[in-house]
Amino acid sequence: MIDLAALASLRAVDHHGSVVAAADALGYTPSAVSQQVKRLERQAGLDLLERVGRGVVLTRAGRQLVSDGAALLAELERIEADLHAGSGAVVGRLRVTAFSTAVRGLVAPAARALLDAHPGLVLALTEEEPWDTVDLVARGQVDVGVAHSWGDVPLAVPEHVATHEVGRDAADVVLPVDHPLAGRGSVTAAALVGEPWIATPPGTICREWLERMHDGTGARPRIAHQSREFDSHLALVAAGLGIALVPRLGRAALGPGLTTLEVSDPEPTRSVLALHRRTQGSSPAVAATLAALDAAWAAR
């Protein structure tokens, strides 16, 4: 009979590309993952992994086993969630991932409160971009993900993944206090045309929103500098190198030389979402995590 725990390890190796990375994601040692895969190979009577360079890939049989076993793993997850629901115990290991500003402004305080209330729970926290978070939750590599979607553009979420809106965040333009626009309180996107922007790299959701904000102006944002970290954006603005659109969630305190402007027409807002697989809908640990995120948001 196929060992389902070993099958989950094989799926993790397939997704992460190595035994070491799979072990890190699952909270096991590389040796334990290797032993599980070898046990699965003995049970199947087939090679499931093959070495390519310094990494490993699944053989054809391995890929078939992971594909056909997906429904079994999902059903096992549902059974485990229902079992814990019957006892009401918030225990076990929960994998949570979130985007960077949510880690700072939301997940960190929520995790502290969650662990204080439920000492039998073990959390493993990681940081990912929203699209990657959706994929990780959908694939079963993460239990709860925190993602965001800007404006009226919904985040594409598979049917088997449930969403829970934690709250709505807004972004402000951060600029030096001696900037000509400082002191207005609010501006439209049209008033910002031609300004040198400090932005996240192309392909990120925040960069897409900055570009969409300029859609009605007939101009593209003039990107002067790029950085993934909003703390770096603030430092570059403080150095007089441009202006930046920075979300309020997780934003560091502004120095004395910086100020903010609200933006209208369009207003840069985003929905902060918690995601989990529907098979974990009855899990007390997932329910407690969602409640902790809600409480942390309300306490901001």
Side-chain angles (χ1 to χ4, degrees):
M1 183 177 294
I2 292 175
D3 185 324
L4 293 181
L7 178 57
S9 290
L10 181 65
R11 181 178 63 176
V13 173
D14 181 37
H15 178 74
H16 293 284
S18 75
V19 170
V20 172
D24 184 58
L26 294 171
Y28 300 152
T29 65
S31 175
V33 171
S34 293
Q35 290 174 12
Q36 286 181 326
V37 174
K38 288 176 181 177
R39 182 164 63 250
L40 200 58
E41 288 179 324
R42 289 195 298 270
Q43 292 169 343
L46 296 166
D47 290 334
L48 303 176
L49 290 177
E50 59 183 350
R51 183 165 294 282
V52 176
R54 302 184 66 179
V56 293
V57 297
L58 270 65
T59 63
R60 180 177 178 180
R63 290 195 301 273
Q64 180 179 344
L65 182 57
V66 167
S67 177
D68 292 347
L72 291 174
L73 292 175
E75 181 62 11
L76 177 62
E77 187 171 75
R78 184 195 64 77
I79 291 171
E80 289 177 339
D82 288 349
L83 183 64
H84 286 147
S87 68
V90 180
V91 296
R93 184 174 186 270
L94 200 72
R95 300 161 298 175
V96 180
T97 193
F99 56 96
S100 59
T101 53
V103 169
R104 295 195 295 272
L106 180 64
V107 174
R112 182 67 272 158
L114 190 62
L115 293 174
D116 288 345
H118 306 286
L121 186 66
V122 177
L123 291 181
L125 307 177
T126 56
E127 187 176 299
E128 298 286 350
E129 283 289 311
W131 290 314
D132 295 327
T133 293
V134 173
D135 183 55
L136 289 168
V137 173
R139 287 174 173 264
Q141 303 301 312
V142 165
D143 300 306
V144 176
V146 181
H148 63 76
S149 59
W150 281 99
D152 58 354
V153 183
L155 193 66
V157 177
E159 179 60 31
H160 70 285
V161 174
T163 63
H164 169 81
E165 185 174 76
V166 178
R168 295 193 66 82
D169 188 30
D172 302 306
V173 173
V174 179
L175 68 172
V177 293
D178 59 356
H179 191 282
L181 294 175
R184 288 196 181 188
S186 67
V187 291
T188 64
L192 300 169
V193 169
E195 290 286 342
W197 286 97
I198 296 150
T200 56
T204 58
I205 290 182
C206 294
R207 175 65 169 269
E208 285 195 358
W209 174 252
L210 179 62
E211 293 174 351
R212 281 176 56 82
M213 196 174 79
H214 282 70
D215 282 351
T217 67
R220 304 286 292 174
R222 182 164 71 88
I223 308 300
H225 308 284
Q226 294 181 166
S227 173
R228 291 188 178 276
E229 292 296 326
F230 287 116
D231 284 357
S232 298
H233 290 205
L234 297 181
L236 294 171
V237 174
L241 299 176
I243 65 174
L245 187 69
V246 183
R248 295 172 188 171
L249 176 63
R251 187 167 69 199
L254 300 181
L258 299 179
T259 188
T260 61
L261 294 176
E262 294 184 5
V263 184
S264 60
D265 193 27
E267 181 183 3
T269 60
R270 60 180 178 174
S271 178
V272 178
L273 305 169
L275 315 171
H276 66 85
R277 289 176 299 288
R278 296 187 186 278
T279 50
Q280 288 188 303
S282 62
S283 165
V286 169
T289 301
L290 299 183
L293 291 170
D294 287 342
W297 183 272
R300 291 169 57 244

